[in-house]
Amino acid sequence: MISRRQALRTAACGFGQLALAGQWSAGMESGIPDLAAGAHFRPRAKRMIFLFMQGGPSQVDTFDYKPRLALEDGKQFPFDDARTIANTGLRGSSQRVMKSPWKFKQYGQSGRWVSSLFPQMAAQVDDLCFVHSMQTEGVAHGPATLFLHCGATRDDRPSMGSWISYGLGSENQNLPAFVSIAPSEGNGGARNYGNSFLPARYQGTALGNAGAPASAATINNIANTRLTHAQQRAQFEFLQNLNREQIKKHAADMELDAVIRSYELAWKMQSEAPGVLDMSNESARTMAQYGIGEKATDDFGKKCLLARRMSEAGVRFVQVTYGDNSANPAWDQHNHIEKHAVHARAVDRPIAGLLQDLKQRGLLDETLVWWGGEFGRTPYAQGKGNGRDHNPQGFTVCLAGGGVRPGSAYGETDEFGHVAIRDKIHLHDLHATLLYLLGIDHERLTFQHAGRDFRLTDVHGRIIKGLLA
């Protein structure tokens, strides 16, 4: 015979997954300490959408125009190659410069350069802030992806979304604070939306997984068709009464606390989540805006539209992954760089549609949008092939809305687009700046674990004022 405590925990495993444990809630007191919900200072953005381009898009083929690549195409030059340095410690290895197969043009009143890979995003440049001087840690996908999400390459640390939900909670107590749409199972997997040593209720909610169709990005069994509302209410209240008795005896049990909160959130979600997930009431014009109904863009378009619906409904942090679960992530073209065109075609219209939709609804000013991968790619060919290797030394991300300077470009790489040389921004700095835009002081958002205070930016990070409007 199992104890009541064991029964609760066993039952909670399935229900907790359904309920998406890991959400700040204003529910019952549990004895687990909370950071007071709310910003440290006036936020410029209420919420955030992160469009993760898994595998590392090439900056010199997308948004960082470098004319010298065409002039020196095929010639050998010495470069400090990150992978060579990591493996051998040698600098100045000889590499073959490779030009971009795509043409660049200037767009908008701001005159920003964009390659022909992104004609739809190009039309939105006056709302975008291009950061050309990004630098990060990790040459391989696993460490770099963990660093992107968690601020550390190896240690088990909370993800950015978990830190944000810990600090701010959700705008809507009937929905999770942090949702990850179609996350990858590789290169960190669940750690990329995990809570680590933060209380379990701050874990991200995963909908679907990378490589699965958009239809899988949903919540199964969200509605109970077998019991009436009154019967469900009675069942819920009975379980919560048992839970209250348990929490009195085990006030510091974070797992039990998370289970109880998951029950509470699951009950609340039944009234609101089905409507958020149901996109059938969207107009034909909106669907077309996201590229829904067109073969190349339908899948990512639906995921981006779902992100908008969740953000609009009050989810604080939404991440949408464009990728798959293979050993070589989507944008990872070590050979045949021309395959970037397949991925760009899949995301270009949906991303542009998301920006337009947010703007038309008056949401862009209060929604921070972040586009980028875990690193960039080299401006030279990898080996004797026609692809590009990983490059953490100088790459591009894009920001929009939520207090960033529109129609701007910040920082610069060298004339080959290889290494950041002006106004360098480390990923710790970007994390600090994004938190600042949400009203969070990255040095004050801490949690004590293993005898010391931890934070997303560790002991690093500075706010980049040049990115702010």
Side-chain angles (χ1 to χ4, degrees):
M1 178 178 292
I2 63 173
S3 69
R4 182 174 64 176
R5 180 179 180 83
Q6 290 171 317
L8 281 170
R9 284 191 168 181
T10 302
C13 289
F15 200 79
Q17 184 177 14
L18 162 66
L20 316 170
Q23 160 61 23
W24 178 89
S25 172
M28 68 183 69
E29 293 298 323
S30 66
I32 305 296
D34 263 327
L35 179 73
H40 293 126
F41 38 76
R42 186 181 181 89
R44 304 193 184 198
K46 292 182 179 179
R47 64 194 74 88
M48 183 171 163
I49 298 174
F50 175 32
L51 304 171
F52 175 43
M53 301 292 106
Q54 183 193 26
S58 168
Q59 70 282 356
V60 295
D61 294 301
T62 54
F63 304 114
D64 194 7
Y65 177 47
K66 296 297 175 181
R68 192 171 178 189
L69 292 185
L71 295 174
E72 310 291 0
D73 184 45
K75 296 180 182 178
Q76 298 286 138
F77 281 85
F79 289 93
D80 288 343
D81 179 70
R83 195 185 292 271
T84 300
I85 294 171
N87 292 334
T88 68
L90 298 177
R91 295 180 176 273
S93 58
S94 181
Q95 306 288 346
R96 175 172 56 86
V97 172
M98 186 172 73
K99 69 179 182 180
S100 175
W102 296 282
K103 301 295 183 183
F104 279 75
K105 285 173 54 179
Q106 289 177 285
Y107 292 86
Q109 293 182 350
S110 57
R112 302 273 72 86
W113 290 93
V114 180
S115 86
S116 56
L117 278 176
F118 287 102
Q120 302 298 324
M121 285 184 69
Q124 309 300 316
V125 292
D126 288 334
D127 288 319
L128 295 174
C129 171
F130 295 94
V131 185
H132 293 307
S133 52
M134 286 301 306
Q135 296 186 317
T136 190
E137 305 293 326
V139 181
H141 294 290
T145 303
L146 275 174
F147 197 83
L148 176 75
H149 292 89
C150 307
T153 57
R154 289 175 294 179
D155 297 337
D156 186 11
R157 301 283 183 88
S159 61
M160 183 177 186
S162 292
W163 279 114
I164 291 171
S165 60
Y166 167 62
L168 297 178
S170 180
E171 290 185 86
N172 184 341
Q173 300 312 307
N174 293 334
L175 294 172
F178 171 23
V179 172
S180 183
I181 299 174
S184 174
E185 296 174 1
N187 298 311
R191 284 185 289 173
N192 295 322
Y193 55 91
N195 59 290
S196 184
F197 48 73
L198 289 179
R201 61 186 178 272
Y202 301 115
Q203 176 179 316
T205 296
L207 299 185
N209 59 75
S215 59
T218 189
I219 303 172
N220 295 321
N221 306 313
I222 190 62
N224 187 336
T225 58
R226 296 183 297 105
L227 301 178
T228 66
H229 181 79
Q231 289 172 322
Q232 292 177 61
R233 163 67 73 176
Q235 183 183 65
F236 170 70
E237 290 179 350
F238 172 74
L239 288 171
Q240 290 299 72
N241 285 334
L242 293 179
N243 290 336
R244 289 188 186 95
E245 293 302 314
Q246 288 296 315
I247 207 68
K248 288 178 184 177
K249 300 176 183 178
H250 307 281
D253 188 333
M254 290 192 294
E255 290 185 16
L256 182 58
D257 173 75
V259 169
I260 293 172
R261 290 172 185 267
S262 76
Y263 272 56
E264 184 178 5
L265 179 60
W267 174 255
K268 293 177 179 179
M269 284 174 61
Q270 290 181 72
S271 65
E272 191 151 350
V276 175
L277 295 166
D278 182 8
M279 296 186 284
S280 62
N281 63 342
E282 295 287 352
S283 68
R285 179 180 178 276
T286 297
M287 293 286 197
Q289 198 170 36
Y290 284 83
I292 295 171
E294 298 180 24
K295 183 177 181 180
T297 52
D298 182 79
D299 190 76
F300 196 68
K302 288 176 179 175
K303 292 171 183 175
C304 285
L305 178 54
L306 179 58
R308 188 270 288 165
R309 292 176 65 86
M310 290 197 157
S311 293
E312 189 174 29
V315 177
R316 185 74 67 182
F317 184 94
V318 182
Q319 175 170 319
V320 188
T321 297
Y322 175 80
D324 51 42
N325 285 317
S326 68
N328 297 311
W331 293 91
D332 194 31
Q333 271 72 70
H334 293 276
N335 283 296
H336 304 295
I337 194 65
E338 66 272 11
K339 288 184 180 178
H340 260 37
V342 175
H343 307 304
R345 191 177 306 117
V347 305
D348 182 35
R349 183 178 293 279
I351 294 170
L354 173 63
L355 294 173
Q356 290 173 309
D357 198 14
L358 288 171
K359 191 171 184 178
Q360 290 162 356
R361 292 170 181 271
L363 295 171
L364 186 58
D365 286 344
E366 58 187 36
T367 305
L368 179 57
V369 181
W370 170 22
W371 176 98
E374 63 268 38
F375 40 50
R377 309 204 78 81
T378 60
Y380 43 85
Q382 183 171 2
K384 297 181 179 180
N386 59 353
R388 304 187 191 277
D389 202 357
H390 308 161
N391 178 22
Q393 302 179 86
F395 61 101
T396 296
V397 301
C398 302
L399 305 173
V404 301
R405 183 174 295 171
S408 65
Y410 187 90
E412 183 181 347
T413 52
D414 60 38
E415 56 191 342
F416 289 102
H418 182 222
V419 178
I421 59 172
R422 183 176 64 83
D423 294 330
K424 301 175 185 178
I425 299 183
H426 192 276
L427 190 56
H428 281 313
D429 303 326
L430 183 63
H431 282 159
T433 306
L434 296 174
L435 291 178
Y436 173 81
L437 289 165
L438 290 166
I440 298 174
D441 183 342
H442 73 106
E443 294 183 344
R444 294 166 60 193
L445 184 68
T446 63
F447 189 87
Q448 192 169 78
H449 172 70
R452 79 169 179 93
D453 285 343
F454 283 83
R455 67 188 204 215
L456 174 63
T457 52
D458 197 40
V459 296
H460 309 282
R462 59 197 172 94
I463 297 166
I464 308 300
K465 298 291 188 179
L467 300 181
L468 310 181

